Amino acid sequence: MKRRAVRLTLSFFLAGVLAFAFFGCGAAESRVQSVSTNGTQQSERFEFPTHEFQLYQEVLKEGSFSGSFAEFLQEINTTVCDDTAAVNRAMTSVVSVECDKSAGSGVIYSLNKATGNAYIITNYHVVYYANSAGVYSMSNNIRIYLYGGYVAGRAIPATYYGGDINFDVAVLKVSECADFIETETHPVYASPAAMTDSDAVTAGERVYALGNPNAEGFSVTAGVVSVPLEYVPVRRADGKVTITLPEIRTDAAINHGNSGGGLFNARGELIGIVNARDDSEDFLGYAIPINTVTTVVREALLGRD
């Protein structure tokens, strides 16, 4: 489809909705305790929130466009004066992570659409927690929901693949689930996150926290980088000791369930993995810099496949 045709359709559809794209609200999380997902009620209310996706479905029905959702967002990018298209592209790399007793978020590190194999980054504390007897262990019932496929019955089984409890980083693996990635009746648009150098992050830079707050579906909250790098004490996933992690501080709202989700810049590039918040100091949010995270991920994947 010609870009001009997309613009014409877009001008009618988006006129009254872009102002609502980034509205959100949030609570806060503790500096001495990683973002907790324990006790979060898993919801049966599944949402697909973006207006751009609705527009994409409309132009597919009209037959005026036949490309992927990501290609459609690239087409309309020049018609949107804010960060909407870039952030919507980033949302295709975000997943919901649900376990027996908790729910959090994750980010797709790599994806093979031919085989359905994927590696997903999340927080260690999302998938490692105590049972009723107070004994900590890794969940053996991890489920993934892809963006666009967050509807009842579309859970994808995942397994813990590796990680480091001292960095609060876990790697999950999804195997041979190509049928869940995209079908005629249930289109799902998934892509690996575009990553950038987190050492180049600057104070005041616009950022967006993408995840699954309160286990109610994918959402976006916006803010800025408050501090590009600081060292923050957080409670380790096993609750036994306090560790100190490098963190990007942001004023973007971070809610329970955002753990393991992404902190993205205005270009839709991943700069950190959300892992903590501070209840006591004006609701500050924190993300582990992606440079630190990818070091842990590469170690986990090294020599395994």
Side-chain angles (χ1 to χ4, degrees):
M1 183 175 98
K2 299 295 185 182
R3 183 169 296 168
R4 181 180 177 186
V6 176
R7 288 178 178 172
L8 289 174
T9 307
L10 180 69
S11 64
F12 290 105
F13 190 84
L14 293 186
V17 300
L18 286 181
F20 303 97
F22 300 121
F23 284 7
C25 58
E29 292 173 358
S30 173
R31 170 171 296 195
V32 296
Q33 181 176 353
S34 299
V35 180
S36 173
T37 55
N38 291 338
T40 300
Q41 296 297 313
Q42 296 180 17
S43 173
E44 291 301 319
R45 180 171 66 86
F46 302 109
E47 298 182 55
F48 196 95
T50 68
H51 300 289
E52 287 75 21
F53 181 74
Q54 295 174 36
L55 175 59
Y56 174 64
Q57 290 180 314
E58 290 297 321
V59 296
L60 284 181
K61 289 178 183 178
E62 293 171 0
S64 54
F65 187 82
S66 59
S68 69
F69 184 44
E71 291 169 339
F72 174 72
L73 288 170
Q74 290 174 349
E75 279 290 313
I76 68 172
N77 189 38
T78 57
T79 72
V80 181
C81 62
D82 57 23
D83 309 329
T84 303
V87 173
N88 273 270
R89 285 198 303 275
M91 284 289 278
T92 65
S93 66
V94 177
V95 303
S96 166
V97 179
E98 294 189 359
C99 304
D100 292 321
K101 297 181 180 179
S102 64
S105 307
V107 178
I108 300 172
Y109 177 77
S110 65
L111 170 66
N112 185 327
K113 286 196 173 185
T115 63
N117 294 340
Y119 293 104
I120 294 165
I121 304 169
T122 189
N123 288 142
Y124 211 95
H125 74 260
V126 169
V127 291
Y128 187 82
Y129 53 85
N131 61 20
S132 58
V135 178
Y136 280 86
S137 62
M138 187 62 61
S139 173
N140 58 9
N141 185 21
I142 304 172
R143 304 174 302 281
I144 300 298
Y145 292 87
L146 297 174
Y147 186 61
Y150 199 54
V151 294
R154 296 291 293 169
I156 302 173
T159 57
Y160 171 73
Y161 192 76
D164 193 328
I165 192 172
N166 290 312
F167 283 94
D168 199 20
V169 174
V171 180
L172 308 180
K173 184 176 181 179
V174 172
S175 300
E176 299 179 358
C177 289
D179 57 321
F180 283 92
I181 293 175
E182 188 167 353
T183 69
E184 279 188 34
T185 55
H186 294 286
V188 176
Y189 302 94
S191 61
M195 301 183 188
T196 191
D197 182 6
S198 56
D199 290 341
V201 171
T202 60
E205 183 176 351
R206 292 193 311 280
V207 290
Y208 299 91
L210 278 57
N212 175 37
N214 300 319
E216 292 187 350
F218 298 86
S219 75
V220 178
T221 54
V224 298
V225 171
S226 303
V227 178
L229 181 66
E230 63 180 319
Y231 288 85
V232 177
V234 297
R235 190 168 300 154
R236 203 169 64 176
D238 59 7
K240 294 180 179 179
V241 299
T242 296
I243 56 178
T244 300
L245 293 178
E247 302 276 4
I248 299 169
R249 189 202 301 178
T250 179
D251 67 348
I254 302 299
N255 301 286
H256 291 288
N258 272 115
S259 293
L263 188 68
F264 293 82
N265 63 21
R267 295 180 297 279
E269 298 166 330
L270 184 65
I271 63 171
I273 297 296
V274 173
N275 76 309
R277 68 178 185 178
D278 189 334
D279 286 330
S280 63
E281 298 184 12
D282 299 323
F283 310 133
L284 306 178
Y286 296 91
I288 307 169
I290 197 59
N291 288 5
T292 300
V293 173
T294 53
T295 298
V296 176
V297 173
R298 287 166 185 159
E299 285 293 324
L301 300 182
L302 185 64
R304 296 287 299 273
D305 285 340

